Amino acid sequence: MTRSNLIGGEMLNWSDLRPGDARPAAAGPAAGALLAATLTADDTVLLAGPHAVELVSAVAAQVASVDLLVRSAPDAEELAELLDDVKGQVFCGSVDRFAADDKSGVGDGYDVLVALDGLERLVGPDTAGFSWADGLARLTGLLKPGGRLLLGATNAFGFERLVQPDITAALPRDEDWGRDVADRAPAGFKPLVTALRTAGFDNEVAYAVFPSLVQAEVAVTSVEGFAAVVAARAVAARNEGPVLMDPYRVVLDAAAAGLAFELAPAWYFVVGAAAPATLPEGVVPEGEGVLLEEHLLTALRSDDQATLRRTIPSYVAWLGTGGAGSPDNVILDGSAYRLFGDAQELDVVGHLRRFAQRALDSGSRQPWPAAADPHALTARLAAMAGITVPEQEFSPDEVVRPRGSAEQLATVARLADELAHASARAILFEGTVSGIRRSRPYRVGHAVLNPARVIRRRLKRVLRKVRRR
C-alpha cells in the first residue's frame, strides 16, 4: 500500500496540482512522450516536484517502482491514493530534508530521476539559503551510478518577455515569496549547461520546450525549418490576447536569426537516456520545402508581384485537384504542394481570405495601398487566378489591425508616411494645374477649343453694359 511520509518542510495548506494563485504542475503531450521514450519496465524512478496526475499515472504504469517527492501535503495524500496499488512511496516535504535513508526498496539509488517541473518547487517558504545547485546535487546523489536524469528548466528571458504586455503577469503570486537569486535556475541556456557539467553530467540532450513547462505541447532539439513553425504556433496559441509583438512572427524571425533555441520558454535536459529528436513524435513534417505562407509573405514584403502571379494560380490549381490546406499549413516544394497539419474545410476564396487575414494580422507590408482590408486583398489575390470575388458592403469590422503593438505602430508610421507623400503630390499637382490655367497658351487653347463658351461670356458682358446705360 502506498503511503504518504512527512519528511519536514511540507506545506499543509497548499496545492501545486490545483493552485489558486500559482502556476500548475508540469504537464503536456511532450512531457508524456519524453517519459514514454526514456523509461523502461525495470526502472526504479523518483518523480520529484509537481507533475500532473496523468503524468504520474503514466510513469507508474510503465516502470517497476516509482517514488514521489512533493512539498504539498494535500497533493501527497491525493497521489498516495492514486498510487495505492503501485510499488513505491510518496514523500512530502522539501528536498533539503530528503535524506538518502528516506528511500526504501531502491538499493543504492534510483535508476531514473525525473524533475520536468524544475527544481524551484522542491522547497517551501521555510527553506532558506538552499540554492538551485544544492538541489541538483541533493537529487543527483540519489541516482545509481550511470543513472538517468530528466530535468526541466524555465527560461528567465524567453519569448514571453518579448510578446507579453500584461504587467499583472509580473506581479508576485502566492508562491513567489522572497528568495535568493541563487535559489532559481541559472538564467540562460549556456549557464544551465555549465551547471550540469559542474554537477558531473555530460553528453546531455537538450530540448527547447514550447509554449511552457506546464503546457509542453512540443519539444525539439533544433528550432529550425518546420520545427520553428510548430514552435511558433504553440507560442501564438498561448498568447491570444493583446501582445507587444506578433508571437508567431517573433518566433519565426528568431529562428531565422538562429536565436529561437536560446529564447525558448523552457528546456528539457536528458542525461544518459536515448530520446527522439522531436516530442511528441510526428508533429514536425519531414522533407524539403518552405511553408507557402512564408513564401507569399516574402513576395508581398518585396513587391515581387511576378512570384505572386505565378504562385497563386498554381496553388489554386492544387486546391482544385483536392488539396485542402490554407497557405499556413501547406508546404511548397518546388512546384509541388503537400499538407502540413489537418485539412481545412474551406473553398478557394476562403483559403485566400485566411491568408489575407493572417498577412494583415502580422503587419506585413502590402504592395497595394488600396488593399487595406481582408476583402480587398482577397479579391486582388483571387483575381490573379482568374477568380472574381463578389462585392460586399464595406463594414468597419473588415478593417484588420496588426496583432502586436509594435506592428501597429509600424503600420501607423508607414500609413502616415504614405499619407504625407500623397498630400505632397496632391499639392504639387494642384499648383501645377493652377499655373497651367494662368498661362497664355492655355487661355489661347481654351478659347480655340471652346469658342461658343467664349462668345457667350462676351455677349453677357455686352448685355450688362447695355442694361447699365
Side-chain angles (χ1 to χ4, degrees):
M1 179 176 179
T2 304
R3 298 182 295 112
S4 175
N5 305 287
L6 301 181
I7 61 175
E10 59 274 356
M11 300 173 69
L12 301 178
N13 189 25
W14 182 265
S15 175
D16 287 312
L17 293 180
R18 294 170 179 80
D21 183 26
R23 66 189 183 101
L34 177 62
L35 294 171
T38 55
L39 299 181
T40 66
D42 298 328
D43 285 334
T44 57
V45 178
L46 174 63
L47 199 60
H51 296 76
V53 173
E54 55 268 23
L55 291 183
V56 176
S57 299
V59 172
Q62 189 177 351
V63 300
S65 70
V66 55
D67 287 348
L68 307 183
L69 173 61
V70 295
R71 64 182 181 177
S72 164
D75 292 350
E77 294 299 324
E78 178 182 346
L79 294 172
E81 294 182 7
L82 175 70
L83 303 179
D84 188 52
D85 297 327
V86 176
K87 183 179 179 182
Q89 299 187 71
V90 178
F91 298 97
C92 179
S94 298
V95 67
D96 57 311
R97 315 289 179 87
F98 188 63
D101 55 0
D102 285 329
K103 55 185 172 38
S104 62
V106 294
D108 56 351
Y110 296 95
D111 295 315
V112 186
L113 194 155
V114 179
L116 296 185
D117 184 72
L119 305 181
E120 292 84 354
R121 293 198 285 180
L122 284 174
V123 296
D126 61 343
T127 297
F130 194 76
S131 69
W132 185 91
D134 293 335
L136 180 62
R138 177 62 60 90
L139 287 182
T140 54
L142 304 173
L143 276 175
K144 289 181 178 179
R148 288 162 282 157
L149 170 68
L150 279 63
L151 176 67
T154 298
N155 189 0
F157 191 83
F159 286 114
E160 296 292 318
R161 291 280 297 274
L162 301 176
V163 304
Q164 184 53 257
D166 185 7
I167 61 174
T168 61
L171 298 177
R173 296 172 295 193
D174 287 346
E175 68 175 348
D176 294 329
W177 55 83
R179 298 174 63 181
D180 191 275
V181 174
D183 293 346
R184 298 174 176 85
F189 178 71
K190 291 181 180 178
L192 274 167
V193 173
T194 301
L196 287 173
R197 300 284 172 84
T198 302
F201 295 106
D202 55 10
N203 299 321
E204 74 283 340
V205 177
Y207 294 87
V209 180
F210 300 89
S212 70
L213 283 183
V214 300
Q215 188 186 347
E217 297 294 332
V218 63
V220 292
T221 55
S222 175
V223 191
E224 299 176 350
F226 299 130
V229 176
V230 174
R233 289 178 177 178
V235 174
R238 180 181 171 85
N239 296 275
E240 295 181 345
V243 290
L244 294 174
M245 293 185 287
D246 180 13
Y248 185 82
R249 295 251 49 95
V250 167
V251 176
L252 290 186
D253 291 345
L259 299 173
F261 197 96
E262 284 73 14
L263 291 175
W267 300 285
Y268 286 154
F269 293 93
V270 180
V271 182
T278 303
L279 304 169
E281 297 180 69
V283 297
V284 177
E286 298 179 354
E288 300 296 326
V290 62
L291 197 65
L292 178 59
E293 180 179 78
E294 294 303 303
H295 182 71
L296 295 176
L297 286 176
T298 300
L300 281 178
R301 286 192 291 264
S302 59
D303 289 357
D304 187 358
Q305 297 194 36
T307 296
L308 293 172
R309 295 179 184 279
R310 181 174 60 252
T311 305
I312 293 295
S314 174
Y315 166 61
V316 169
W318 176 76
L319 291 175
T321 63
S326 293
D328 56 292
N329 72 334
V330 168
I331 295 172
L332 171 62
D333 187 1
S335 60
Y337 299 87
R338 68 180 188 272
L339 192 63
F340 172 15
D342 298 327
Q344 298 174 346
E345 297 299 327
L346 296 172
D347 59 14
V348 173
V349 174
H351 288 299
L352 293 177
R353 182 182 177 84
R354 178 175 171 85
F355 168 72
Q357 178 85 29
R358 288 175 59 85
L360 294 173
D361 281 341
S362 70
S364 175
R365 183 181 184 278
Q366 307 296 321
W368 311 288
D373 62 87
H375 178 70
L377 183 55
T378 302
R380 190 178 292 272
L381 295 174
M384 296 180 182
I387 300 173
T388 300
V389 178
E391 289 293 332
Q392 298 178 352
E393 293 184 3
F394 176 78
S395 170
D397 295 337
E398 283 279 313
V399 178
V400 176
R401 296 173 179 83
R403 283 200 60 193
S405 299
E407 289 85 1
Q408 290 178 14
L409 292 174
T411 300
V412 169
R414 176 175 58 82
L415 293 177
D417 184 64
E418 290 181 0
L419 180 60
H421 282 291
S423 298
R425 288 194 296 268
I427 293 172
L428 177 62
F429 178 75
E430 183 178 354
T432 302
V433 171
S434 178
I436 291 174
R437 286 177 176 173
R438 291 194 301 269
S439 67
R440 179 180 292 276
Y442 176 82
R443 292 200 300 270
V444 172
H446 190 270
V448 172
L449 295 175
N450 298 277
R453 184 180 298 176
V454 174
I455 294 173
R456 182 167 172 267
R457 288 179 180 175
R458 291 181 177 178
L459 285 175
K460 283 184 178 180
R461 292 174 187 170
V462 173
L463 289 175
R464 288 195 196 101
K465 292 180 180 179
V466 171
R467 287 173 184 170
R468 290 173 183 172
R469 291 175 183 175

